[in-house]
Amino acid sequence: MPLATSRIPASTTTCLLGGTVLCLALATPQAQADETTASLYLWGTDVDQTLEGGTRLETSRQTVMENLEFGLMGTLVHRRGPWLYGFDGLYADIGKDGDVDVPVESEEPDGPDAIEAALDFTTRTTMAHAFVGHEWYRDANWSVYGTGGIRYTRFDTDLTVETDDGARRFDTEDNLTDATFGLRGHYSFTPRWSTPFIVDVGTGSTEISLQAFTAAEYAWGASSVTAGYRYMKWRLDDSDFLEEVIYEGPVVAYSYRF
């Protein structure tokens, strides 16, 4: 169940950027056959949300999986010559209720540090990331692309806190659009085993958004399975409710190339 702890809020700065990022090839790529890869994945993520004012809500991956109402996650990547075109999308609907200790600030010397409260918490996350990449480096083992794109994220959060003094309800919707740039690729150990990786940074509607992913992949024929770890962070500039959101945890995926 979510835990509520106190944290000193960090100051934010306004940083609005628009447009797309052009990717430059720094090495002459080798000709590659056209290929499309479709992947479905399951992300066993922790959800860590910091509210305006410093209150922190942490939901473990076990709680997320037990209370996942619906989830759909997948990627589609097309490679054509030195160019790469991709889309990554996810939707997750998570609901949870329970009793927690909510931190409070009291001007009384003997005032309580926390009060017991009943929480009813629902969060819905939608993310769509479209990107274009150009091959930056390739040899017998490495394949690295520079990427630029647009990431759209929507957080719908409903939170009801009920105490002996009454109930308070928070209901917010945050729509965020960031320009992103980064690297993605893989290192091949053998024809079957490789390590894919992704790292990118975005800004625009957020002060900053981050993504990092690495994994071990085993391929046979046109199929492959992947097991790894993914980290995503959004630091919001202008939200009535959320200050920061972090998703992180293990990922397993099945991919098919055609």
Side-chain angles (χ1 to χ4, degrees), residues 40-254:
L40 291 175
Y41 62 91
L42 179 63
W43 189 8
T45 179
D46 292 333
V47 178
D48 185 347
Q49 295 183 314
T50 302
L51 313 183
E52 288 291 342
T55 299
R56 189 174 174 185
L57 300 174
E58 297 176 283
T59 308
S60 70
R61 65 181 59 97
Q62 179 180 351
T63 300
V64 169
M65 299 308 294
E66 289 175 351
N67 295 275
L68 183 67
E69 302 291 341
F70 180 78
L72 181 62
M73 309 171 188
T75 61
L76 187 66
V77 176
H78 178 71
R79 294 174 176 84
R80 185 170 188 175
W83 291 97
L84 174 150
Y85 309 90
F87 175 82
D88 177 25
L90 71 85
Y91 175 80
D93 186 346
I94 303 165
K96 179 63 177 174
D97 56 59
D99 296 325
V100 299
D101 289 332
V102 178
V104 297
E105 294 183 4
S106 176
E107 297 180 357
E108 299 295 332
D110 298 327
D113 295 328
I115 59 174
E116 292 184 0
L119 271 183
D120 187 354
F121 176 70
T122 301
T123 181
R124 291 172 293 277
T125 302
T126 305
M127 189 200 72
H129 186 199
F131 53 89
V132 178
H134 199 286
E135 193 169 82
W136 174 66
Y137 181 79
R138 177 181 290 273
D139 62 18
N141 302 104
W142 287 98
S143 175
V144 182
Y145 289 81
T147 63
I150 298 293
R151 177 163 50 231
Y152 168 79
T153 311
R154 173 173 170 168
F155 296 115
D156 292 297
T157 305
D158 299 320
L159 173 64
T160 300
V161 181
E162 185 175 352
T163 67
D164 294 337
D165 296 329
R168 186 176 180 185
R169 185 171 184 267
F170 303 88
D171 185 359
T172 187
E173 176 184 309
D174 294 286
N175 293 279
L176 312 170
T177 302
D178 285 353
T180 67
F181 62 94
L183 296 173
R184 68 170 51 216
H186 69 271
Y187 178 82
S188 299
F189 297 97
T190 71
R192 292 185 181 272
W193 287 99
S194 64
T195 299
F197 60 88
I198 301 169
V199 60
D200 64 54
V201 179
T203 190
S205 298
T206 67
E207 181 181 341
I208 192 169
S209 59
L210 303 170
Q211 175 180 208
F213 166 79
T214 188
E217 182 176 85
Y218 179 79
W220 72 98
S223 299
S224 62
V225 291
T226 305
Y229 200 86
R230 186 182 192 183
Y231 174 91
M232 294 197 74
K233 175 181 177 179
W234 297 262
R235 187 158 189 81
L236 282 65
D237 255 336
D238 185 18
S239 173
D240 295 331
F241 185 59
L242 293 174
E243 181 179 301
E244 184 176 273
V245 180
I246 297 175
Y247 281 23
E248 62 176 320
V251 174
V252 292
Y254 170 78

